[in-house]
Each structure stands twice: as structure tokens, then as C-alpha cells.
Amino acid sequence: MPDSGCVGTLRDWTLMDRYPPIANHGLVGDLQTAALVSSQGVVDWFCSPRFDSPSVFASLLDHERGGYFQLAPEHSDVSCKQLYYPDTGVLVTRFMSPEGVGEVIDWMPANTSRTPTDRHSLMRVIRVVRGTVRFVMECRPRFDYGRADHKLDLRSQDAVFRSNGIAGHLQTTFPLTRDGQDVQAAVTLGVGESAVAVFTTCAADGDAPPPITADSVTAGLWREVDFWQKWLHTSHYRGRWGEMVNRSAITIKIMTYHPTGAPVAAATMGLPEQVGGERNWDYRYSWVRDGALSVRALLDLGFAEEASAFTKWLGDRMHDRAELPGERLQIMYRVDGDPYLTEEILDHWEGYRGSSPVRAGNAAADQLQLDIYGEALYAMAEGMDVGVELGYHGWKGLARTLDWLSDNWDRPDEGVWETRGGRKDFTFSRVMCWVAFDRGLRLATELSRPADIPRWRNARDSILEQVMEKGWSQSEQALVQHYGGDVLDASLLLIPRVGFLAAKSPGWLSTLDAMERKLVSDSLVYRYDPAASPDGLRGSEGTFSLCTYLYVDALARAGRVRPARYTFEKMHTYANHVGLFAEEIGPSGEQLGNFPQAFTHLSLIMAASTLDEAIDRERLNG
């Protein structure tokens, strides 16, 4: 994995260095919210009390107004390395200089309660392992996306930042100095010495956190290590890519809101798909599509409890609208199931390296994307295979959803990629509607549940015939993005996995060949060509990492094991220094978009499992 760069303290950075590469971060979280820590020791993204709450630190989106929490050596002649403590969510940032070697260890204590809390702590331990290192600290929170002022109450080793409805408590084992309404400090440590800084958010009128000592915080560190290692060691994965699969599993776990079991699509908002462009979305919500596919990835590893929790959450969303008119599902929700995600522009922020507008909330929640019904039923069926129960009322909600879909599947929609260029007859949406009816029929039979079988079967068969007639391009000899066009779309790489076409059927192999010609660039895969299929947005984007792993999966299923494995291995070279992926890969191999992206990591797990099986099968057959 590539090294992460490191330069001086935050104040000394040049204009470009004010916004470190997106990939130069590690992720820590407590299963209700998360923070990004740069390889320079800066917490430049943190929201509280939930993933989808307003930010407390967000200098990644505005260096001057976003707020940050820096803990790093004072001098600029320092090289940095970052790693995770093995098989955990504990992040270690190492600083090496001629004077000495120091470390900052970051984590958030995992909270496995199903009850949400407004109290979240970011633990930061400094220690020196060689020589002497002088560390400097700056803590500059900026609440409510930098829109709310705060007041500082400072004691020697205890600072409280109070804003509207929220307080940030900073506790240290070294003296603090006031800098306006913020604080700074410096501490010099020799070999074997350590110091601690803990930042805790809670309600403005909440109780202060208990006093800290270096010993108590260090004891908490080892409890956190034990938590992650014990959880991960229940994984069933014994394949060839254990390190990458394990890191992906931990990443998905960190980004899952434990009280409801709903995963967020990414830990961040507003990071651009093209630097300077406008494709800057808020991904801190739970997409039906992403969550449904995470069920399969988690089941591949044996994490049935996590898969079951999301399946229940999904069933609750169906039940919410079972008796109401209109759409039965929204494409995304807040982590507690709230459907209201009003989008606003944070025009006081300049955005990552000038990429504006910065959006909070997501207007795409109101889009019609019919594929989500297929993903929802796919998740339900996968969960049933491992004993996830669907009660009578859950079944009634599911059945009413399919009855509604029987009358609504043949409609133009906005498509899987949330384009803002108008509704079309997207092929992938029809394919996934076929999946919805196919899995619904299967469940009705296996569970002996009441269902309008003839109606569902007629819809399923009509979709198949329509897709093969209207979604096929004679010129491309492939299934295409939408009816009446010739644009290819990588979402269709899911076709063999969901069983719409056999993985080695002539029509599918021809489609796979066409995608390789038009969408694949040095093994990386574009979602589609915006120039050929305008999506209502300016600018371009990078290759989509999810699609690259779906390509690996499809190649392996087609028996093209050698190119599948080479593509999979090459993709690993684009991971960051701690094994994390953003949404996209740019022209020079840089990571773009929100970070880390759960979709990429869950598709990595699925591709690894499929590829392992394909390699084993090929060797068994000689």
C-alpha cells in the first residue's frame, strides 16, 4: 500500500496542503457516528451525535470555517505512517523525525447498545517510542456545519465548548491554553512517556464526562482491541484475501448505525467526484440498495446478526407505508428510518479544494428508482436462507408491496445512479423488478404464505420478455442502459448474480464483452458515459470502484477466472495506505468522492467470495 504524505502543522500548510488527499485518512467510529483522521494527525471530519448529524469538525470541506482537532509533532521535518492495530478499528498514526518517533492512537469506544445516545468520545493517546518528540495540539470545533458560535469554559486540563444544544468536552493530561474561543497546547515526551486527549460530545446541559487518567484511557484502548478482534474472529472467511476482506468487514461495521442496523453509504458528505465539480453529494444516509447488498456480503462472512438487523429495518420501512398510497419504499432514509432528507446548500463553505456547492441532505430521496424493490426482496430472500424470520405482519407488508409493484413496474424512473436528467425506461430498474417478483414468488412458496401468485408470475415473465426485446441493442450486441439507446451501464453487471441471465449464456457474455470495450479502462470500470447519456450535471467523474468489483464478480461467474483475478489484484493497488476506498478512482489513480464508501467495501467482499469459489472450482476440475 502507498505511503501517506506528511507535512508540518496545520497552520503551515500551503493552499493545496490545506486539503489533504481524500485517501490520506483513516476511519474510526463507535457504531453510531464516525471521524476521519488524516495522516497528519488531524481530525478533519466528525459529526455528532449520529452519522447524519451536523458536523463538529469539518476542515475537509472548509479549511478556515469547518473546524479541526490537530495532534502532531511541532516540526515540519517529519515523515508519517498510518496503520490499524491488527484486526481492529483502532488507528495508529506514526511520526518519525531525527529527534524521535512518536505515535497518536485514535479510536472511539464501540457502543453495542440498541439505544441511541448523544454522548460520543474520541480518544487520542500520544506516546513516544524513540528519542524525544514535542507534540502540539489545536482544538477548534465549529458546530452545526460551522454556522453556530460557541463559548469556551477553560480550566487547566479541561475545556468545554458550548453551542446551541451541544457541548464538546476536551480533557487532557497536559495544560491547555486559550486561543480566543478555542484551545491549543504543547507537550514534550521522551521514550516510554505518554499523554492523553479525549474529546466528548453530549447535550449542552449533559453531565461532564468522568475524569481521565493515562491508565484509565489505556485500559480502554485494550478493551477496544479485544472488542474488534473477538468480533472479527467470528468471520467464516478463510479465502486468499483475508487482510482486505477483514478491513472491509470492519469498515462496514463501523459505518452501521447499531441501534437500527442501518448502514450509511459513506461516512462523509460533499467530497467531489471531480475536484472543482458539482457532483458533491451527502452520503451519510442508509440506501435500500446499498444496505440490501450488504446483507449478502455480511452473510458471505457469517455475520448473520448484522444481516438480520438490516433485514428487520428494511421490513419496517415496507410496513411504514403498507396502508398508504404512493411509493412503498424511498431509495434512502436517515439511519433511524426518518424519510425526510431535505437538501440544502452550505454556501458559506468553499468545499474540498474549491469543489462547490457543498450539500447537506439529499434531494435524490424523492426520486423514483424502481430497482430498490428488487434489492429489498433480494435481501429478504438471502436473509431467509440463513434463518432470518419474517413474521405474518412482515409478510403482509411485503405482499402489499409486490401487489403495488405489479401495477407500477412499467414506468420510467431516474435510474440507479440518481441522475438528474429526467426519467427514462432504465433496463436495470426493470431487471431488479424481475428480481422482486422472482424472490417474492420463491418466498411465498417456501413459506406457504398467501400471495397473488398468478399476478406476480405474470409481472415477472412480462418483464423478462420486455427487457430482452427493448433493452437489447443490435449494434452493441448487449443489454444497454435504457430502452431505445446504445449506452452501456455497469449496473447490469449484477445480472448473473441475481439470476436474470445465466452467467455463461451467449447474451450475457456478449454484454460483458461490450462493457469491456466501452466501460473498462485498465481494469477500472466506469458506471456509464455521461457524454453519451447526459445526466443533467456538469463535469465528468472517475471510474466507480463498486463497478470494478462487480466486474470481477461477473468475470469469475463467466469462467474468466484469470482476468478476474488480475483485475481484483490490480484494484487493491488503488486502496489507500490502510486499505480503505472512496467512491471513485480518478485519472491519475487518486481517490475521489465520499470516503470511505460502504458500497465499494461490500462489493469487494462479494467479489472475493465469488473469485475464491471460482479458483477452487477451476483447480478441482483440473
Side-chain angles (χ1 to χ4, degrees), residues 157-168:
Q157 298 179 6
D158 192 342
V160 185
F161 309 87
R162 287 192 171 86
S163 189
N164 299 334
I166 188 172

Side-chain angles (χ1 to χ4, degrees), residues 35 50 70 99 111 114 118 127 148 232 270 287 365 390 416 427 431 439 441 454 468 604 606:
R50 302 190 322 196
Q70 177 199 18
E99 292 78 22
N111 186 337
R114 293 293 180 185
D118 63 8
R127 65 182 186 182
L232 188 63
W287 268 251
L390 181 66
V416 61
T427 305
V431 168
R439 298 315 194 267
L441 288 164
M468 297 311 296
L604 182 157
M606 294 193 302

Side-chain angles (χ1 to χ4, degrees), residues 419-486:
T419 58
R420 303 193 180 190
R423 294 183 177 181
K424 296 182 177 69
D425 291 307
F426 284 101
T427 305
F428 182 73
S429 296
R430 299 297 201 277
V431 168
M432 295 310 293
C433 285
W434 178 92
V435 172
F437 291 114
D438 180 73
R439 298 315 194 267
L441 288 164
R442 185 183 305 177
L443 290 174
T445 300
E446 292 177 357
L447 300 175
S448 299
R449 293 290 186 263
D452 194 340
I453 298 294
R455 187 181 182 191
W456 296 2
R457 183 182 294 118
N458 179 66
R460 180 195 64 183
D461 296 345
S462 296
I463 294 169
L464 178 63
E465 292 178 358
Q466 186 192 87
V467 167
M468 297 311 296
E469 177 184 345
K470 296 185 177 181
W472 182 264
S473 166
Q474 289 296 329
S475 62
E476 295 291 347
Q477 286 295 290
L479 290 169
V480 291
Q481 184 182 68
H482 57 81
Y483 295 172
D486 294 316

Side-chain angles (χ1 to χ4, degrees), residues 15-334:
L15 179 62
M16 184 65 73
D17 290 326
R18 290 177 182 177
Y19 295 99
I22 291 170
N24 276 26
H25 292 86
L27 174 76
V28 296
D30 65 1
L31 312 185
Q32 292 191 22
T33 189
L36 293 186
V37 184
S38 78
S39 56
Q40 291 85 18
V42 180
V43 179
D44 54 19
W45 179 258
F46 172 60
C47 296
S48 187
R50 302 190 322 196
F51 294 105
D52 54 3
S53 297
S55 62
V56 177
F57 301 120
S59 60
L60 193 57
L61 291 176
D62 193 294
H63 173 76
E64 297 295 335
R65 304 176 187 87
Y68 60 87
F69 182 10
Q70 177 199 18
L71 195 49
E74 181 178 42
H75 301 294
S76 60
D77 56 340
V78 176
S79 63
C80 305
K81 304 285 184 179
Q82 206 170 43
L83 71 155
Y84 280 104
Y85 195 90
D87 292 347
T88 76
V90 175
L91 186 68
V92 182
T93 306
R94 290 169 53 79
F95 303 93
M96 284 156 276
S97 70
E99 292 78 22
V101 176
E103 299 178 336
V104 175
I105 305 173
D106 288 294
W107 77 96
M108 296 182 68
N111 186 337
T112 57
S113 170
R114 293 293 180 185
T115 302
T117 179
D118 63 8
R119 188 173 294 268
H120 303 274
S121 295
L122 177 63
M123 321 297 287
R124 314 199 74 183
V125 172
I126 321 165
R127 65 182 186 182
V128 170
V129 295
R130 292 180 62 186
T132 300
V133 181
R134 181 175 172 83
F135 281 87
V136 294
M137 188 198 78
E138 296 182 31
C139 187
R140 304 181 184 279
R142 297 294 182 266
F143 299 95
D144 189 25
Y145 303 119
R147 296 179 296 196
D149 293 333
H150 67 266
K151 297 295 184 182
L152 172 66
D153 180 10
L154 177 63
R155 297 186 180 92
S156 175
Q157 298 179 6
D158 192 342
V160 185
F161 309 87
R162 287 192 171 86
S163 189
N164 299 334
I166 188 172
H169 295 260
L170 175 64
Q171 301 166 283
T172 64
T173 57
F174 47 87
L176 301 172
T177 302
R178 176 184 289 270
D179 184 11
Q181 295 301 313
D182 303 316
V183 299
Q184 56 188 16
V187 57
T188 301
L189 301 174
V191 174
E193 294 181 326
S194 62
V196 171
V198 178
F199 186 84
T200 301
T201 57
C202 62
D205 57 355
D207 294 336
I212 63 166
T213 65
D215 288 343
S216 66
V217 174
T218 301
L221 166 62
W222 297 118
R223 286 195 298 271
E224 192 70 9
V225 167
D226 288 343
F227 166 81
W228 282 110
Q229 291 184 344
K230 288 177 181 177
W231 177 80
L232 188 63
H233 291 171
T234 64
S235 171
H236 296 172
Y237 185 77
R238 298 295 181 269
R240 296 165 176 82
W241 296 284
E243 184 177 353
M244 293 298 294
V245 168
N246 289 347
R247 180 52 49 199
S248 291
I250 291 172
T251 302
I252 293 171
K253 177 75 168 175
I254 289 176
M255 293 197 297
T256 298
Y257 186 66
H258 192 75
T260 63
V264 294
T268 59
M269 55 175 270
L271 292 178
E273 296 174 18
Q274 179 188 35
V275 174
E278 66 169 333
R279 300 167 189 263
N280 316 316
W281 314 115
D282 190 346
Y283 277 8
R284 301 169 300 148
Y285 307 111
S286 188
W287 268 251
V288 169
R289 179 182 307 112
D290 303 38
L293 291 178
S294 74
V295 169
R296 180 65 266 164
L298 291 167
L299 291 176
D300 283 345
L301 303 182
F303 295 123
E305 180 182 347
E306 287 78 7
S308 177
F310 179 76
T311 302
K312 180 183 183 303
W313 182 90
L314 187 57
D316 290 343
R317 303 290 75 73
M318 287 187 181
H319 185 265
D320 288 346
R321 295 197 57 86
E323 304 293 340
L324 298 176
E327 313 300 333
R328 289 302 187 266
L329 279 175
Q330 224 171 253
I331 69 169
M332 72 182 92
Y333 299 83
R334 294 187 181 276

